[in-house]
């Protein structure tokens, strides 16, 4: 059968797959939007209110200006809110009100990040993405200088360049303290780290070293460094740098992986044994499975056979009706530096713990959100594979408000679990 016949033959399969996707979305948590991606990203942004990253009234009024599933109105509404709140912060700072300035600028930074969430047509060259990225960075940098605890912008030597990072310190005493290395994932930044983990860590006496690695934040946007699977080549220089800092206790360095970072730090820890513990939020054994699980099986077969001429048109059809798939594929092409959707899915096969997981020896906390449709079952596979490390698997549920991917909207509960485990683990 020719290519056109293949496409016609898969029409019914395509419809079945879309019907299944629709049923999944009907069972998903809905926060202000029916669209699954809009709902999740709004929950993610709003959840940072726990650490000063959002104000509920600002979220609600922004959402009212966004049309369901309309990516352009999403971008415009969040950008307008970010600029308005940033102006409040700038005026407060100029008038000598540093606390008000800090609070507004932290929120503005989070809103700038959110505004760019779906701006993925040509993100590497889009001046609007450049503007939003600069807005996120500049507002956060100004706010960070106003925090009650010291923050240093640092550069970490990496190959023939450096990686941008923030070192969040508990105080300015110079005392060596346990330190968490924040490793972001598929779409996060070092600025977001403050809300994801740093604010909670500082309250508990932990420093945080947050960096943008290849495929992430400014390393992607400004340095054009793309993602790589052999993440030990990234983490080892970061640990090397950490060990040069007197404020970081050498025997109490912890790797924290956020979203895709859950795979990256586990991969790195199979080779880098100078870390005292790992926190995987979430656990990921095989990143390719996150794509394969959201696509009809025949597409995976076509891509494996190199039949991109039929696979890509079907992927394009699916993207037209799924914001989540459209976001995942477009963002992935940028992050991984590939030329097609099929290339991205093939490249994802390299992101697996197969054959190396047994080399991880550090105590590992594996977080498992009950309602995580992106990575369902992956945390359990990680626990089974880490045969050389003491592991703790914790499933947080929808009933307690922490069942979404990376526990968006339930950070207080998630941090309680993470830090209580970490306190006990480092004490032992």
């Amino acid at each position: 059968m020719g290519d056109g016949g293949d496409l016609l033959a898969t029409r019914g399969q395509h419809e079945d797959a879309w019907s299944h996707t629709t049923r999944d979305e009907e069972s998903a948590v809905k926060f202000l939007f029916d669209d699954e991606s809009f709902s999740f990203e709004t929950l993610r942004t709003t959840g940072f209110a726990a650490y000063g990253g959002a104000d509920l009234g600002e979220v609600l009024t922004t959402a009212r200006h966004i049309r369901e599933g309309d990516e352009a109105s999403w971008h415009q509404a969040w950008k307008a809110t970010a600029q308005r709140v940033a102006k409040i912060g700038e005026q407060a700072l100029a008038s000598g009100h540093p606390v008000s300035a800090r609070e507004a600028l932290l929120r503005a930074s989070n809103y700038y990040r959110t505004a760019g969430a779906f701006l993925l047509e040509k993100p590497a060259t889009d001046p609007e993405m450049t503007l939003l990225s600069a807005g996120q960075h500049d507002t956060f940098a100004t706010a960070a200088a106003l925090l009650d605890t010291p923050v240093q912008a640092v550069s970490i030597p990496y190959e023939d360049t450096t990686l941008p990072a923030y070192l969040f310190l508990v105080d300015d005493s110079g005392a060596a303290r346990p330190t968490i290395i924040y490793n972001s994932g598929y779409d996060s930044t070092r600025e977001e780290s403050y809300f994801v983990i740093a604010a909670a860590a500082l309250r508990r006496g932990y420093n945080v070293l947050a960096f943008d690695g290849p495929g992430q934040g400014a390393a992607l946007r400004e340095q054009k460094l793309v993602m790589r699977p052999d993440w030990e080549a990234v983490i080892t220089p970061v640990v090397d740098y950490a060990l040069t800092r007197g404020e970081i206790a050498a025997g109490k360095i912890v790797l924290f992986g956020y979203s895709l970072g859950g795979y990256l730090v586990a991969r790195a820890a199979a080779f880098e044994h100078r870390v005292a513990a790992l926190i995987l939020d979430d656990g990921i054994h095989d990143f390719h499975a996150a794509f394969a699980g959201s696509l009809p099986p025949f597409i995976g077969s076509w891509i494996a056979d190199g039949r991109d001429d039929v696979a890509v048109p079907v992927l394009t059809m699916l993207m037209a009706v799924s914001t989540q798939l459209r976001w995942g594929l477009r963002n992935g092409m940028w992050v991984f530096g590939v030329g097609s959707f099929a290339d991205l899915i093939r490249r994802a096969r390299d992101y697996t713990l197969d054959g190396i997981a047994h080399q991880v020896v550090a105590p590992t906390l594996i977080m498992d959100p009950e309602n995580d449709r992106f990575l369902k079952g992956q945390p359990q596979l990680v626990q089974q594979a880490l045969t050389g490390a003491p592991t703790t698997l914790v499933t947080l549920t929808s009933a307690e408000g922490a069942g979404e991917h990376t526990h968006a909207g339930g950070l207080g509960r998630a941090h309680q679990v993470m830090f209580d485990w970490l306190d006990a683990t480092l004490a032992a």
Side-chain angles (χ1 to χ4, degrees):
M1 183 179 289
D3 293 347
D6 284 340
L7 288 173
L8 288 173
T10 61
R11 180 176 178 181
Q13 294 169 290
H14 167 212
E15 290 171 349
D16 287 345
W18 172 236
S19 176
H20 175 72
T21 300
T22 302
R23 287 193 298 271
D24 285 347
E25 290 180 351
E26 287 173 353
S27 65
V29 169
K30 300 293 177 64
F31 182 67
L32 299 182
F33 295 98
D34 288 330
D35 183 276
E36 185 178 7
S37 287
F38 277 29
S39 171
F40 174 77
E41 291 299 336
T42 306
L43 182 64
R44 172 181 175 180
T45 294
T46 308
F48 294 150
Y51 300 105
D55 210 351
L56 181 58
E58 291 170 348
V59 171
L60 293 173
T61 195
T62 303
R64 284 198 293 269
H65 291 89
I66 298 173
R67 294 181 294 278
E68 190 74 53
D70 187 310
E71 294 169 353
S73 65
W74 173 283
H75 159 228
Q76 292 160 4
W78 282 111
K79 178 184 176 182
T81 297
Q83 292 177 326
R84 179 177 61 79
V85 176
K87 186 174 182 179
I88 292 171
E90 292 161 2
Q91 291 174 340
L93 185 61
S95 300
H97 305 295
V99 174
S100 296
R102 177 184 69 202
E103 291 177 350
L105 292 169
L106 284 174
R107 301 198 308 276
S109 178
N110 186 30
Y111 300 153
Y112 273 119
R113 180 195 59 76
T114 306
F118 301 103
L119 199 67
L120 296 170
E121 185 68 35
K122 295 181 179 179
T125 57
D126 189 343
E128 187 68 7
M129 180 63 84
T130 300
L131 183 151
L132 296 175
S133 298
Q136 179 189 186
H137 170 268
D138 293 349
T139 51
F140 184 83
T142 304
L146 302 172
L147 291 174
D148 295 329
T149 54
V151 185
Q152 298 178 13
V154 300
S155 296
I156 298 174
Y158 167 73
E159 295 190 341
D160 59 353
T161 183
T162 60
L163 300 176
Y166 285 113
L167 178 57
F168 299 90
L169 297 169
V170 173
D171 56 36
D172 58 4
S173 68
R177 296 183 182 275
T179 300
I180 295 171
I181 293 176
Y182 170 84
N183 198 131
S184 67
Y186 201 56
D187 68 333
S188 184
T189 64
R190 69 192 190 279
E191 290 83 16
E192 190 183 9
S193 71
Y194 178 76
F195 311 113
V196 172
I197 196 73
L202 293 169
R203 294 178 183 182
R204 293 167 168 88
Y206 291 86
N207 300 326
V208 172
L209 177 62
F211 72 97
D212 285 333
Q216 302 169 335
L220 172 67
R221 290 162 167 80
E222 299 174 17
Q223 297 169 265
K224 311 303 181 185
L225 301 176
V226 297
M227 186 68 69
R228 58 188 297 172
D230 56 338
W231 205 251
E232 64 276 12
V234 179
I235 283 294
T236 289
V238 176
V239 174
D240 287 343
Y241 173 81
L243 292 173
T244 69
R245 299 295 304 233
E247 307 96 330
I248 296 177
K252 294 185 177 181
I253 295 175
V254 179
L255 298 183
F256 172 86
Y258 182 55
S259 194
L260 178 57
Y263 160 78
L264 297 174
V265 300
R267 158 78 196 210
F271 303 92
E272 174 54 74
H273 294 158
R274 293 176 293 175
V275 297
L278 308 178
I279 299 176
L280 312 181
D281 183 24
D282 311 334
I284 303 175
H285 184 271
D286 181 356
F287 184 56
H288 178 264
F291 281 113
S294 63
L295 295 171
F298 61 84
I299 293 183
S301 298
W302 284 344
I303 291 172
D305 294 340
R307 302 199 62 200
D308 298 7
D309 58 326
V310 288
V312 171
V314 175
L315 283 173
T316 302
M317 286 192 293
L318 290 171
M319 286 169 55
V321 293
S322 172
T323 307
Q324 181 59 52
L325 183 61
R326 187 163 61 249
W327 173 85
L329 292 174
R330 286 178 171 177
N331 190 69
M333 285 182 61
W334 185 29
V335 167
F336 283 69
V338 296
S340 76
F341 302 142
D343 285 341
L344 167 63
I345 293 170
R346 279 190 289 266
R347 185 71 58 86
R349 290 189 180 277
D350 296 333
Y351 292 74
T352 177
L353 297 179
D354 275 346
I356 60 170
H358 65 281
Q359 298 171 202
V360 177
V361 297
T364 303
L365 174 63
I366 306 166
M367 302 296 288
D368 172 39
E370 178 187 43
N371 200 36
D372 192 337
R373 292 166 302 283
F374 307 124
L375 304 169
K376 194 71 173 177
Q378 289 290 314
Q380 289 75 15
L381 294 176
V382 172
Q383 185 181 42
Q384 294 168 16
L386 296 188
T387 56
T391 61
T392 302
L393 175 68
V394 176
T395 299
L396 296 185
T397 66
S398 298
E400 55 192 324
E404 296 302 302
H405 179 62
T406 63
H407 312 289
L411 291 181
R413 173 71 174 116
H415 289 151
Q416 176 254 312
V417 170
M418 293 176 193
F419 286 103
D420 291 359
W421 175 87
L422 190 55
D423 288 347
T425 298
L426 293 186

